[in-house]
Amino acid sequence: MITALVPGSFDPPTKGHLDVVERCVSLFDRVVVGVVHNPSKTPLFTAEERVALIEECAKDWTNVEVASFQGLLVDFAKEVGAKTVVKGLRAVTDFDYEIQMSQMNRHLSGDVVSMFVATKPEFGYLSSSLVKEVAKLGGSVDDLVPPPVAAALKERLP
Ligand code: PNS
């Protein structure tokens, strides 16, 4: 049984994130989506809300589990039995940040291997921060996030 861990802030989850999870669904036996809970940050959605949103969006994928975590990613990977961490790369600008994190994770635990999935080109410009900005300013994000997330944004940012 090979488990992949797809970690992230997911504040909120976007179609780009779900695209990465979907790729993993067919490649791995089990996919754990790890929602980071960082007590020093004030996200728009609580960790519990982000977990619930991803669960709703991923409900048709039977091998996906969603959980939040605090602390080191490598410790959470060990806890859920994942030796592979998968992240999406939108463009070369993501690479610097992602390679640094993957090398730090490798330093912390030689057991964990980071793998990268190229996101769909049409999601190359998509980020949770931009989605929040557009939603806050009254723009439509219906094409950028799954319907449950669009509804949650409308409620949180009327
Ligand atoms: O969606 P993001 O913001 O790119 O996700 C970043 C995340 C959650 C993968 C990263 O912040 C993380 O791994 N946090 C856990 C803390 C940790 O392990 N830090 C040291 C390794 S760089």
Side-chain angles (χ1 to χ4, degrees), residues 7-10 17 34 36 69 71-74 87 97-98 100-101 104-105 108:
S9 308
F10 305 111
H17 293 130
V36 74
F69 73 99
L72 288 176
L73 178 67
V74 291
K87 293 218 65 186
Y97 173 63
E98 294 297 343
Q100 205 181 353
M101 283 204 295
M104 178 56 82
N105 286 332
L108 294 169

